[in-house]
Amino acid sequence: MVRATPTGSRRRGEVVPARRGEAGFTLAAMIVTLAVMSVFLTVAVQTATFQRRREMEEELIFRGQQMVEGVRLFRARFGRFPLSLEELYKAKPRCLRKKWVDPITGKADWVPVFLGQEGQGLPGQGGGPAPVPTPTPRAGFGGGVPSPEARGPIIGVSSRSCESSIKMYEGRSRYCDWKFIFDPQRQGRGGVPPPPPGPQPTEPPLPPKRK
């Protein structure tokens, strides 16, 4: 005897197709969610890249000033400016804490700035007596970017990268135009601006000794 199957009931194993309206809504919701996540991810990556570039620019300024400090120490110890960056690196006693790497290029490929290249006069003119220099060649300190063979008195460095910067440094917006130079007429020790005029803080006096 065959049992009758009630109307509207489904048989065992029979697949009931999903409603088209529900399937379309689910797909649209997934697309919107992926689009929103993509926007947030893009903004996060751009923000991180921007912040990383700002940090690299601050590090470039710090390391450039360290190179200037090395030039200052070399001049103070030997009575002249270094003729090459290699001479500055290998000076004994050391004038640099280490061989600083350009954070923009990731290499120690600084471009030397030669005396006279940036309109820089002889140190000591108008800023006190200059040290007695030893004879040095004067070739290669004209304007523009020096050639790899150029040699001469080095007063500073600049980055080899000419990418546009985020920060404006002394009115310049390309890294290769950021010149870190030793100028005793406008700078204090190590290329750091001198302290402002006025009384400077002093160490507190020692307490009197007990009898």
Side-chain angles (χ1 to χ4, degrees), residues 5-193:
T5 303
T7 306
S9 62
R10 64 175 181 268
R11 298 176 182 175
R12 180 178 299 178
E14 181 181 0
V15 179
V16 180
R19 297 180 181 178
R20 295 183 179 179
E22 294 180 358
F25 177 79
T26 303
L27 180 60
M30 291 180 59
I31 293 176
V32 171
T33 302
L34 291 175
V36 172
M37 292 178 60
S38 176
V39 170
F40 277 109
L41 182 61
T42 302
V43 172
V45 171
Q46 291 178 349
T47 302
T49 302
F50 180 86
Q51 183 63 27
R52 174 59 179 165
R53 178 61 68 90
R54 292 296 299 267
E55 293 174 356
M56 291 172 62
E57 291 180 353
E58 293 297 331
E59 188 66 18
L60 173 62
I61 295 174
F62 170 77
R63 297 185 184 186
Q65 291 174 348
Q66 291 298 307
M67 295 294 290
V68 173
E69 173 67 4
V71 171
R72 183 194 70 81
L73 288 176
F74 189 98
R75 175 175 176 265
R77 291 170 178 171
F78 302 104
R80 62 176 178 85
F81 289 105
L83 303 181
S84 66
L85 293 180
E86 196 66 23
E87 183 180 28
L88 180 63
Y89 295 145
K90 296 181 178 181
K92 299 294 182 181
R94 291 193 307 173
C95 297
L96 290 170
R97 290 168 49 194
K98 63 179 182 179
K99 191 174 183 178
W100 294 100
V101 173
D102 182 347
I104 304 300
T105 64
K107 303 176 182 178
D109 56 353
W110 301 95
V111 177
V113 178
F114 297 101
L115 183 65
Q117 182 178 335
E118 294 296 310
Q120 173 77 11
L122 289 174
Q125 293 181 351
V132 179
T134 57
T136 56
R138 299 287 178 174
F141 55 90
V145 178
S147 63
E149 296 80 13
R151 294 174 62 88
I154 295 174
I155 60 172
V157 296
S158 64
S159 176
R160 192 170 294 275
S161 172
C162 284
E163 295 182 24
S164 297
S165 62
I166 299 173
K167 179 185 179 69
M168 292 286 291
Y169 183 76
E170 295 185 349
R172 301 179 180 183
S173 60
R174 293 195 311 167
Y175 298 126
C176 58
D177 294 332
W178 292 14
K179 308 296 183 182
F180 306 101
I181 60 176
F182 172 67
D183 185 355
Q185 300 183 19
R186 67 172 183 172
Q187 294 171 321
R189 297 183 57 185
V192 179

